[in-house]
Structure formats: C-alpha cells, structure tokens
Amino acid sequence: MLAELPASTAPERDLATINTQTRRLIEYSLGVACALAVWCAWVDVLPALGSINMKTGMTTVVSVTEEVELPNGGKRLEVTGQLRDIRLADLLLAAIVLATTIIAAKNIPGLLEMAILQHLPFDAGARYAVATVCRYVITVVGLLLCCGALGVGWSQVQLLVAAMSLGLGFGLQEIFANFVSGLIILFERPVRVGDVITIDSITGVVSRIRMRATTIIDGDRKELIIPNKEFITGRVLNWTLTDPVNRVVVKVGVAYGSDTQRAAEILLRLAKSHPNVLDDPPPGVSLESFGDSALNFALRCFLPNMDGRGTVIHELHMAIDREFRAAGIEIAFPQQDIHVRSLDIQLPMFKRPSPAATRPGRACPKWPSVCQVGNCAAGATAGLSSSAQTRVDKATRAPTE
C-alpha cells in the first residue's frame, strides 16, 4: 500500500516565481543598456573612459585566414596563427558576457513561460524540459562567446579537452554518466516532473530534474536525491507515465461457514458506492483461495489518479468492517488448535523391583541398618553402575529420607 503522497498532478504555473525571474532579466538588461549608453555618451568627453582600450600585457593566439599567392599566379586560403594583445575592453566584454550567461541561465524559465510556453499546449513536464534544455544551451553558448572575447579558440583548448576526456574516462565517469542520463530523461521523458514513481522500494513524486540528480518527495515530505543514472540503467515503476488511472486491491478473509455470496455482494456494493472509484473499468470481487483460517476475497477497483489513494483504501476498509459486522459476517483471523494428550509411560528408574530383589531377609545395599526388606528404590537399583546409582539417589533421596 502506498502512503499518502504529495499531489501527483502536474504543478501549476508559479506566477510569483515567473514574475521574479522576468523582472530580474528586465532589470539586468536595462542596467547593461544604461551603462553602455552612458559610456558612449561620455567617452569623447572624459578621456579616462577611453582607457579601456589599453593593453593588459596578456597576449593570445588567434587564427587568421589569409590569401597566399602561388608561384603559378593562383591564390589559396591559409589559416595562420597571429599574436594579439588582450585589451581591457576584451576583459570587460568577457565579464559582461559571463554575467549575462549566468543571469539568463537562472531566469530564462520565467521569460519562456511568459512569452512562448504559456501559449503552447504543453504540460508542466514538457515546459520544464524545454526550459532546462534552453538553460543548458545558453550556458554552452555563453561560455563559447566568453572564450571568443578573450581570443581563446579551439586550437588553445585542444589539450584541455583531451585532458578532460581522459578525466571523464577515469575519475569523472560517474558524473558524466549522470549528466548524459539527465539529458536522456529530459528528451526521452520516461520520468517527468509531477510523476509518481517507485524506485528501489521508494515511492514519491518527482519535483526536480537536475544536471546530476533527480529529486523526489516521498509520503513523509522528505526529499530524496537519486542519481540520474539509476533511472536509465535501473528498474523504475512510473505510476502516471501514460495513464494516471491506477488499481486498488483490498484483500479480506471471512470465516468458514459465512455466506460467501452475501460477502461478495457487500464488497461490490461498497466499491460502486464510493465517489472516487471509477465505473469504467468496473470494480470486481473474486474468491481467491481457501486459506488455512479464512476464505480469502479480493476487491479490485480503479481510481482516476494517485491523489488520495491512501484515503480511499482507508475508507473502503472502514466500510467493509462496518457492513460485515451489520451482516453478521465474521472477518477471520489466524487460528490454531492445540491438542494435549496424556501418555501412561513409566520411567525405568521408577519401576517396581522384581520379586527376587524384594524377598524378606535380604539387607538393603543402601541402608542395611534401616531397611531389611529391600523393596525401596535403593534396593531396586543395587545392580546399577555408580553413575546411574548417583542419579537414582538424587531422585529418591527426598521421598526416602
């Protein structure tokens, strides 16, 4: 049985968050535009503003395409590397591009929601996937533009890319696998935001899908961080992937001798009368088995979604108990009958002595001065070994003395 979970339906648009993200983008854009306008207006008046073109002492190699004349009079294009000084303006441009990338990546969902996504027939999971992919694209493009502003091209980062590939192959392969798995989840969408899933006996609602891990909220309102690779390589039960309709099975056992036809009618009537139980598919009742202590019935009915599943099960249980009591049908419980039998078994140490050992005149080997008859337990054990004699003595000392 599943615990009561948070709302499994797709979350509605958070207007406050969308408004905040959009406002941040507008404020940042206005700030950058005002700064550029002030600089353009005052650069000819204040010579200090022209110092951004000064050299910083750093150089970079840029690829330049040149036309080279051939000896036969023809021309061809050749790519050559040239040293270029990095100016202060390049550093400022790279900083602006980097800041713009960070602001846009964090606040782009709000702008997309306001401008495009709210006008398209997408659910919350699809809108979240589109916003996340756009965030990744903006981050990659922004980093490339930042490197281009500093004059860092592919020829300069070849060794870095090779080193990163080697690191991914050894130490960072798990992180890289989780990142790729996150992209697969966003594009293939086997798991979406708002879905109710079960993974490794943990059931919860998907709340966020990040670059490395996915967050689900269980019935205790605890957030569980699960690596994205587990959703691709492991077994995941998605309760709401294509159809939110789910089945509830209520098992109940009645005592032997009960009216089974009456019990089945009560179960079916209770399921049909519940407001959250669907008429199509219709509920059904079946006598599953003859158990050791009960006749086992199973009531199967369908719910439209995962909301209130635990509440429906609770209400069905309460109604079944109430109606069975009113109809005189006993809900069975495990029983066992224990039969105690008495056995008339006489232990060898307490057997009566033979007539030869109890004839008169024979002295008792244990207490010759007291017993001259020889019909006590000591006399009966005259032929036993010393260890057996000791056990008999302990067993007969109290009644003899």
Side-chain angles (χ1 to χ4, degrees):
M1 183 187 302
L2 295 178
E4 196 68 26
L5 297 173
S8 60
T9 56
E12 297 296 330
R13 297 182 179 92
D14 191 351
L15 296 180
T17 303
I18 295 173
N19 180 52
T20 301
Q21 293 176 348
T22 306
R23 181 169 49 84
R24 287 176 182 173
L25 284 175
I26 295 175
E27 291 176 353
Y28 177 77
S29 301
L30 290 176
V32 173
C34 290
L36 292 177
V38 170
W39 180 82
C40 293
W42 290 90
V43 65
D44 296 331
V45 179
L46 298 177
L49 296 179
S51 61
I52 62 173
N53 292 322
M54 63 181 298
K55 298 179 180 180
T56 59
M58 295 182 291
T59 59
T60 183
V61 178
V62 295
S63 299
V64 178
T65 303
E66 297 180 347
E67 290 186 355
V68 179
E69 294 185 0
L70 299 177
N72 56 4
K75 295 182 179 180
R76 69 176 181 181
L77 298 178
E78 289 187 357
V79 179
T80 60
Q82 294 182 358
L83 287 177
R84 185 174 70 86
D85 294 326
I86 298 178
R87 301 174 300 169
L88 183 59
D90 297 332
L91 296 179
L92 292 178
L93 180 59
I96 293 175
V97 171
L98 183 60
T100 304
T101 301
I102 295 174
I103 296 297
K106 287 184 177 181
N107 300 281
I108 198 63
L111 180 60
L112 289 175
E113 187 73 27
M114 293 284 292
I116 301 175
L117 296 180
Q118 67 177 353
H119 304 292
L120 299 177
F122 290 164
D123 57 6
R127 295 196 302 269
Y128 183 88
V130 170
T132 303
V133 172
C134 290
R135 185 183 295 114
Y136 292 161
V137 172
I138 290 174
T139 302
V140 173
V141 173
L143 292 177
L144 292 177
L145 293 177
C146 182
C147 294
L150 296 176
V152 178
W154 173 251
S155 59
Q156 286 82 15
V157 297
Q158 287 181 353
L159 296 179
L160 178 61
V161 172
M164 290 180 60
S165 302
L166 187 62
L168 291 175
F170 290 95
L172 302 178
Q173 57 181 347
E174 291 295 328
I175 297 177
F176 186 73
N178 288 324
F179 173 73
V180 175
S181 299
L183 294 178
I184 295 175
I185 292 174
L186 290 175
F187 284 103
E188 187 179 345
R189 301 181 66 201
V191 176
R192 303 162 300 182
V193 173
D195 285 351
V196 179
I197 64 172
T198 299
I199 178 172
D200 292 337
S201 70
I202 300 174
T203 301
V205 179
V206 179
S207 61
R208 289 187 300 273
I209 301 176
R210 298 298 187 187
M211 181 183 299
R212 187 193 64 84
T214 297
T215 303
I216 67 173
I217 303 177
D218 64 357
D220 298 329
R221 299 303 192 272
K222 295 180 180 178
E223 294 186 343
L224 291 91
I225 312 299
I226 301 178
N228 291 329
K229 189 178 70 172
E230 300 295 329
F231 294 95
I232 302 301
T233 60
R235 295 184 177 181
V236 181
L237 173 61
N238 193 332
W239 295 77
T240 56
L241 179 59
T242 57
D243 189 1
V245 175
N246 60 96
R247 188 180 69 172
V248 170
V249 179
V250 179
K251 296 183 179 181
V252 59
V254 299
Y256 279 93
S258 302
D259 188 351
T260 55
Q261 184 65 30
R262 177 63 175 163
E265 293 176 354
I266 292 176
L267 292 174
L268 190 59
R269 175 171 56 84
L270 292 176
K272 291 182 177 180
S273 62
H274 198 282
N276 292 333
V277 175
L278 295 177
D279 296 331
D280 186 21
V285 179
S286 61
L287 178 58
E288 295 292 312
S289 62
F290 296 91
D292 296 335
S293 305
L295 300 171
N296 297 319
F297 282 87
L299 170 62
R300 295 175 175 87
C301 54
F302 294 86
L303 305 181
N305 49 54
M306 296 295 296
D307 297 340
R309 177 185 172 92
T311 303
V312 173
I313 295 176
H314 165 73
E315 293 175 352
L316 289 176
H317 285 169
M318 297 292 291
I320 291 171
D321 180 69
R322 181 179 63 252
E323 294 296 328
F324 275 16
R325 287 177 184 270
I329 299 176
E330 180 184 357
I331 298 179
F333 55 88
Q335 302 179 18
Q336 289 184 347
D337 295 334
I338 301 177
H339 299 275
V340 180
R341 302 175 60 185
S342 300
L343 300 178
D344 188 11
I345 299 177
Q346 191 173 10
L347 298 178
M349 62 180 63
F350 296 108
K351 288 183 178 180
R352 292 183 178 181
S354 60
T358 58
R359 64 179 180 269
R362 182 176 177 180
C364 178
K366 185 66 176 177
W367 297 288
S369 61
V370 178
C371 179
Q372 298 295 330
V373 180
N375 57 357
C376 63
T381 58
L384 299 178
S385 61
S386 59
S387 60
Q389 180 69 39
T390 302
R391 291 195 300 269
V392 173
D393 290 345
K394 291 181 180 180
T396 59
R397 183 173 301 163
T400 305
E401 294 180 351

Short mmCIF file of all heavy atoms in Angstrom, two decimals, residues 353-379:
data_model
loop_
_atom_site.label_atom_id
_atom_site.label_comp_id
_atom_site.label_asym_id
_atom_site.label_seq_id
_atom_site.Cartn_x
_atom_site.Cartn_y
_atom_site.Cartn_z
N PRO A 353 10.59 -53.01 41.85
CA PRO A 353 11.64 -54.05 41.85
C PRO A 353 11.04 -55.44 41.61
O PRO A 353 9.85 -55.68 41.84
CB PRO A 353 12.25 -53.92 43.23
CG PRO A 353 11.18 -53.32 44.06
CD PRO A 353 10.39 -52.40 43.17
N SER A 354 11.90 -56.33 41.17
CA SER A 354 11.46 -57.70 40.91
C SER A 354 11.21 -58.43 42.23
O SER A 354 11.71 -58.04 43.27
CB SER A 354 12.53 -58.43 40.09
OG SER A 354 13.74 -58.47 40.82
N PRO A 355 10.43 -59.48 42.19
CA PRO A 355 10.16 -60.23 43.45
C PRO A 355 11.43 -60.77 44.09
O PRO A 355 11.54 -60.85 45.31
CB PRO A 355 9.24 -61.37 42.98
CG PRO A 355 8.59 -60.82 41.75
CD PRO A 355 9.61 -59.97 41.09
N ALA A 356 12.42 -61.13 43.27
CA ALA A 356 13.65 -61.66 43.86
C ALA A 356 14.40 -60.62 44.65
O ALA A 356 15.07 -60.92 45.63
CB ALA A 356 14.55 -62.23 42.76
N ALA A 357 14.29 -59.36 44.22
CA ALA A 357 15.01 -58.31 44.93
C ALA A 357 14.28 -57.85 46.17
O ALA A 357 14.88 -57.22 47.03
CB ALA A 357 15.22 -57.12 43.99
N THR A 358 12.99 -58.23 46.34
CA THR A 358 12.21 -57.73 47.48
C THR A 358 11.82 -58.85 48.45
O THR A 358 10.96 -58.65 49.29
CB THR A 358 10.93 -57.06 46.96
OG1 THR A 358 10.17 -58.00 46.19
CG2 THR A 358 11.27 -55.85 46.08
N ARG A 359 12.47 -60.01 48.29
CA ARG A 359 12.10 -61.07 49.23
C ARG A 359 12.62 -60.72 50.62
O ARG A 359 13.66 -60.09 50.78
CB ARG A 359 12.65 -62.41 48.76
CG ARG A 359 14.16 -62.51 48.73
CD ARG A 359 14.60 -63.89 48.28
NE ARG A 359 16.03 -64.00 48.25
CZ ARG A 359 16.79 -63.74 47.19
NH1 ARG A 359 16.18 -63.35 46.08
NH2 ARG A 359 18.10 -63.88 47.24
N PRO A 360 11.87 -61.18 51.68
CA PRO A 360 12.27 -60.82 53.06
C PRO A 360 13.61 -61.41 53.44
O PRO A 360 14.01 -62.47 52.95
CB PRO A 360 11.12 -61.42 53.89
CG PRO A 360 10.00 -61.60 52.94
CD PRO A 360 10.61 -61.89 51.62
N GLY A 361 14.29 -60.70 54.30
CA GLY A 361 15.56 -61.17 54.83
C GLY A 361 16.75 -60.66 54.10
O GLY A 361 17.87 -60.82 54.56
N ARG A 362 16.52 -60.04 52.94
CA ARG A 362 17.67 -59.51 52.20
C ARG A 362 17.92 -58.08 52.63
O ARG A 362 17.03 -57.25 52.59
CB ARG A 362 17.40 -59.56 50.68
CG ARG A 362 18.59 -59.08 49.88
CD ARG A 362 18.31 -59.24 48.41
NE ARG A 362 19.42 -58.70 47.62
CZ ARG A 362 19.45 -58.71 46.30
NH1 ARG A 362 18.43 -59.24 45.61
NH2 ARG A 362 20.47 -58.21 45.65
N ALA A 363 19.16 -57.79 53.00
CA ALA A 363 19.51 -56.45 53.50
C ALA A 363 19.58 -55.47 52.34
O ALA A 363 19.98 -55.82 51.23
CB ALA A 363 20.84 -56.49 54.24
N CYS A 364 19.15 -54.23 52.62
CA CYS A 364 19.20 -53.18 51.60
C CYS A 364 20.64 -52.74 51.40
O CYS A 364 21.34 -52.46 52.38
CB CYS A 364 18.33 -52.00 52.05
SG CYS A 364 18.37 -50.63 50.86
N PRO A 365 21.13 -52.68 50.20
CA PRO A 365 22.54 -52.30 49.98
C PRO A 365 22.80 -50.83 50.28
O PRO A 365 23.95 -50.45 50.45
CB PRO A 365 22.76 -52.64 48.50
CG PRO A 365 21.42 -52.56 47.88
CD PRO A 365 20.44 -53.03 48.93
N LYS A 366 21.77 -50.02 50.34
CA LYS A 366 21.99 -48.60 50.56
C LYS A 366 22.00 -48.27 52.05
O LYS A 366 22.90 -47.59 52.53
CB LYS A 366 20.88 -47.81 49.84
CG LYS A 366 21.07 -46.30 49.92
CD LYS A 366 22.31 -45.87 49.16
CE LYS A 366 22.47 -44.36 49.15
NZ LYS A 366 23.71 -43.96 48.47
N TRP A 367 20.95 -48.75 52.78
CA TRP A 367 20.87 -48.51 54.23
C TRP A 367 20.58 -49.84 54.93
O TRP A 367 19.44 -50.16 55.27
CB TRP A 367 19.74 -47.52 54.53
CG TRP A 367 19.98 -46.17 53.91
CD1 TRP A 367 20.88 -45.26 54.30
CD2 TRP A 367 19.30 -45.63 52.79
NE1 TRP A 367 20.84 -44.16 53.51
CE2 TRP A 367 19.87 -44.34 52.55
CE3 TRP A 367 18.29 -46.07 51.92
CZ2 TRP A 367 19.45 -43.52 51.50
CZ3 TRP A 367 17.88 -45.25 50.93
CH2 TRP A 367 18.45 -43.99 50.70
N PRO A 368 21.58 -50.66 55.08
CA PRO A 368 21.35 -52.00 55.64
C PRO A 368 20.85 -51.97 57.08
O PRO A 368 20.14 -52.88 57.50
CB PRO A 368 22.73 -52.67 55.54
CG PRO A 368 23.69 -51.53 55.44
CD PRO A 368 22.98 -50.42 54.76
N SER A 369 21.20 -50.95 57.84
CA SER A 369 20.76 -50.90 59.23
C SER A 369 19.34 -50.41 59.38
O SER A 369 18.73 -50.57 60.44
CB SER A 369 21.69 -49.99 60.04
OG SER A 369 21.66 -48.67 59.51
N VAL A 370 18.78 -49.85 58.30
CA VAL A 370 17.43 -49.28 58.39
C VAL A 370 16.43 -50.17 57.66
O VAL A 370 15.38 -50.50 58.18
CB VAL A 370 17.40 -47.85 57.82
CG1 VAL A 370 16.00 -47.29 57.85
CG2 VAL A 370 18.37 -46.98 58.59
N CYS A 371 16.77 -50.53 56.46
CA CYS A 371 15.84 -51.27 55.62
C CYS A 371 16.32 -52.70 55.51
O CYS A 371 17.41 -52.95 55.00
CB CYS A 371 15.74 -50.61 54.25
SG CYS A 371 14.63 -51.47 53.12
N GLN A 372 15.53 -53.63 55.99
CA GLN A 372 15.84 -55.04 55.88
C GLN A 372 14.95 -55.76 54.87
O GLN A 372 15.06 -56.94 54.66
CB GLN A 372 15.68 -55.72 57.26
CG GLN A 372 16.62 -55.18 58.32
CD GLN A 372 18.08 -55.47 58.01
OE1 GLN A 372 18.39 -56.47 57.37
NE2 GLN A 372 18.98 -54.60 58.47
N VAL A 373 14.01 -54.98 54.27
CA VAL A 373 13.07 -55.60 53.35
C VAL A 373 13.60 -55.60 51.92
O VAL A 373 13.51 -56.57 51.21
CB VAL A 373 11.71 -54.87 53.44
CG1 VAL A 373 10.71 -55.51 52.48
CG2 VAL A 373 11.18 -54.94 54.85
N GLY A 374 14.21 -54.47 51.55
CA GLY A 374 14.79 -54.39 50.21
C GLY A 374 13.82 -54.01 49.12
O GLY A 374 14.14 -54.20 47.96
N ASN A 375 12.66 -53.46 49.51
CA ASN A 375 11.69 -53.08 48.49
C ASN A 375 11.70 -51.57 48.22
O ASN A 375 10.78 -51.06 47.64
CB ASN A 375 10.29 -53.51 48.89
CG ASN A 375 9.90 -52.92 50.25
OD1 ASN A 375 10.71 -52.25 50.87
ND2 ASN A 375 8.66 -53.19 50.68
N CYS A 376 12.72 -50.87 48.64
CA CYS A 376 12.81 -49.43 48.34
C CYS A 376 13.51 -49.23 47.01
O CYS A 376 13.96 -50.16 46.39
CB CYS A 376 13.55 -48.69 49.46
SG CYS A 376 15.27 -49.24 49.63
N ALA A 377 13.64 -47.97 46.65
CA ALA A 377 14.28 -47.66 45.36
C ALA A 377 15.75 -48.01 45.38
O ALA A 377 16.32 -48.38 44.36
CB ALA A 377 14.10 -46.18 45.03
N ALA A 378 16.38 -47.90 46.53
CA ALA A 378 17.80 -48.23 46.62
C ALA A 378 18.01 -49.71 46.38
O ALA A 378 18.96 -50.13 45.74
CB ALA A 378 18.36 -47.81 47.98
N GLY A 379 17.10 -50.52 46.92
CA GLY A 379 17.23 -51.94 46.67
C GLY A 379 16.99 -52.31 45.23
O GLY A 379 17.55 -53.25 44.71
#
